[in-house]
Amino acid sequence: MDPITNPYAPGAGQRPPELAGRDEQLRTFDVVLERIARGRAERSIVLTGLRGVGKTVLLNALRSSAVRADWGTGKFEARPDQRLRRPLAAAAHQAVRELGHPRGEDIDQVLGIIKAFALRDAPTGAKLRDRWQPGIDVPAVTGRADSGDIEIDLVELLTDIGGLAADVGKGVAFFIDEMQDLDPEDVSALCAACHEISQSGLPVIVVGAGLPHLPAVLSASKSYSERLFRYSRIDRLPRDSADRALVGPASEEGCEFTPEALDEMYAVTAGYPYFIQAYGKVVWDVAPSSPVTAQDIRVAVPEAESELAVGFFGSRFERATPAEREYLRAMADAALVNSPAQEGDSEGEGPAEGDVAAYVRDGVTEREAVPTSAVADVLGRKPQSLSPARDALIKKGLIYSGERGLIAFTVPHFGRYLRTQS
């Protein structure tokens, strides 16, 4: 089949990947937008899940829903080495521009506040040439969102933006990807601001996406965070949705999959959207004709896994130091169990809910989360001596701790990848 029209290649046809199995999240978000538009109190939203489950794709789809509702929107990706002011100021600037408010004293006031908020990012005493300029062509407003205390400033900023949106009968939504990478002080400020705008009934909402331990990050910041956010766990796709993610793009190119081919694809991808796209791309390139058969899948698997080993798994493994790599390999070994998988598990299907969940693939039973003590046992070390490596891996987003004493990979099938490496 023609690789030029490969529907699974990134950016194919300049369209986003097939969004299958996320109807519930899309419907819920539409309801939230409607409730806020009617002046009802609503919580902000947090999406959590492993790498490769499609959180960013879903976040972009939710933003598109907000745009269709005529809301102002802004989006940014949090980074461990960057504080909140710059990216949020840029997102706020874009959101205010999208509101379509007639240029006048009110909007100039809010733009001036955004500029003042952004300019506080510069260190005290920094020269003018070293100050970041947000590209807002109005003077900065003095005395609002410029105190230097991020919690005070963020509350004032979102309050004023919400007031402007309410004046024109619209709303504003901020979308934050990799939210777990925000600085702890910024997380605390964001929680305080979400609490304030919710109490005030202003039409502003924050939609964050991050790794599974994001709720714990928010809870550690503010004890009341569980009341501020509507949490939604984004997981692998069920079988029917996984099939749709393959069949939908293929049908637009006049191609079909045999039932056996779909069985084979679900077995190797386990329903993870990123894997579906990665394997689908290679299958499309190697399959000689339609319909795609199970044999085509088996031929494509080695090449697809080779590409994943370099781009998806290897690029992350290379970020780890030798000591951290030792810890990761020990985690992979500690995850293996000799006992049968939990009742109800089957090859290629998701585990039951719970921290001791396990899954089976290629005849190997593997726990999703392992005790830190088990990792120490594999290495013959005391758990306390391994804390620096564990903490560094958590900061790098390679592992996470969903519960005290338990750790898991943020990347699906990462343990399997590590056990194939010398």
Side-chain angles (χ1 to χ4, degrees):
M1 287 177 287
D2 186 356
I4 296 177
T5 58
N6 190 325
Y8 307 105
Q14 302 302 311
R15 70 182 179 192
E18 180 79 10
L19 187 64
R22 307 307 184 203
D23 295 341
E24 179 182 349
Q25 287 81 11
L26 292 169
R27 284 195 299 267
T28 297
F29 187 65
D30 286 340
V31 171
V32 169
L33 293 179
E34 180 65 23
R35 284 181 57 84
I36 294 176
R38 293 175 178 269
R40 308 285 178 82
E42 258 298 348
R43 291 173 290 173
S44 288
I45 296 173
V46 168
L47 311 174
T48 64
L50 299 176
R51 306 279 185 202
V53 297
K55 298 187 300 296
T56 300
V57 174
L58 178 57
L59 200 66
N60 290 334
L62 296 180
R63 185 183 183 185
S64 295
S65 295
V67 170
R68 288 193 297 271
D70 209 19
W71 280 43
T73 67
K75 179 177 178 286
F76 67 92
E77 179 179 315
R79 299 204 309 263
D81 59 345
Q82 185 178 52
R83 293 298 301 268
L84 182 64
R85 285 186 187 267
R86 287 195 186 188
L88 184 62
H93 186 200
Q94 181 175 4
V96 169
R97 290 171 61 192
E98 288 182 1
L99 284 177
H101 192 291
R103 191 64 183 264
E105 184 176 336
D106 290 344
I107 194 169
D108 283 355
Q109 172 78 4
V110 172
L111 289 173
I113 291 170
I114 295 173
K115 188 171 186 177
F117 176 82
L119 291 176
R120 287 296 305 190
D121 183 71
T124 303
K127 295 181 180 179
L128 182 61
R129 66 173 181 269
D130 297 326
R131 293 177 180 269
W132 176 68
Q133 296 298 320
I136 300 175
D137 60 350
V138 299
V141 172
T142 302
R144 191 69 175 166
D146 63 350
S147 70
D149 185 315
I150 184 62
E151 185 165 317
I152 294 173
D153 294 349
L154 189 57
V155 168
E156 292 181 348
L157 176 72
L158 296 191
T159 298
D160 291 348
I161 291 174
L164 179 70
D167 288 344
V168 295
K170 298 181 180 180
V172 169
F174 294 99
F175 298 85
I176 308 174
D177 207 358
E178 303 294 347
M179 193 172 177
Q180 77 283 338
D181 286 338
L182 288 173
D183 182 88
E185 188 179 355
D186 293 337
V187 172
S188 179
L190 191 62
C191 288
C194 287
H195 180 68
E196 182 65 26
I197 59 179
S198 176
Q199 292 290 310
S200 303
L202 292 170
V204 177
I205 189 172
V206 173
V207 183
L211 295 173
H213 65 291
L214 176 55
V217 171
L218 295 170
S219 180
S221 174
K222 295 290 186 182
S223 60
Y224 55 77
S225 65
E226 67 276 3
R227 303 194 303 271
L228 298 177
F229 301 102
R230 182 192 296 264
Y231 293 99
S232 179
R233 181 182 176 184
I234 310 303
D235 210 336
R236 67 192 80 178
L237 298 176
R239 175 59 192 271
D240 59 338
S241 297
D243 287 353
R244 182 155 58 91
L246 281 168
V247 172
S251 63
E252 294 182 15
E253 301 294 338
C255 177
E256 297 180 352
F257 283 76
T258 67
E260 294 76 17
L262 293 175
D263 290 342
E264 193 75 18
M265 279 293 281
Y266 196 74
V268 298
T269 65
Y272 286 105
Y274 186 87
F275 292 160
I276 291 172
Q277 185 178 16
Y279 282 89
K281 174 183 176 295
V282 177
V283 167
W284 186 270
D285 288 341
V286 304
S289 61
S290 176
V292 176
T293 67
Q295 179 59 25
D296 295 329
I297 307 298
R298 289 189 282 270
V299 169
V301 163
E303 181 179 341
E305 293 189 342
S306 177
E307 291 186 9
L308 286 169
V310 174
F312 190 65
F313 297 118
S315 61
R316 289 173 168 82
F317 186 62
E318 290 299 321
R319 294 169 53 199
T321 66
E324 293 162 6
R325 293 177 188 177
E326 182 183 43
Y327 192 94
L328 292 172
R329 290 192 179 100
M331 276 184 64
D333 291 340
L336 293 176
V337 294
N338 297 320
S339 59
Q342 293 182 349
E343 183 178 353
D345 288 348
S346 60
E347 185 166 344
E349 294 184 357
E353 290 278 48
D355 289 325
V356 295
Y359 62 88
V360 180
R361 190 179 183 214
D362 298 334
V364 176
T365 306
E366 184 172 355
R367 287 193 178 94
E368 289 196 327
V370 297
T372 54
S373 58
V375 179
D377 289 342
V378 170
L379 294 173
R381 304 263 299 276
K382 292 183 178 180
Q384 294 86 344
S385 69
L386 298 172
S387 295
R390 183 195 64 224
D391 294 346
L393 288 168
I394 290 175
K395 289 180 180 178
K396 290 180 179 179
L398 295 175
I399 65 175
Y400 73 96
S401 178
E403 184 178 329
R404 183 176 177 83
L406 290 175
I407 49 173
F409 294 114
T410 61
V411 178
H413 299 171
F414 198 51
R416 179 173 176 268
Y417 159 77
L418 292 173
R419 289 191 296 272
T420 65
Q421 307 303 301
S422 59

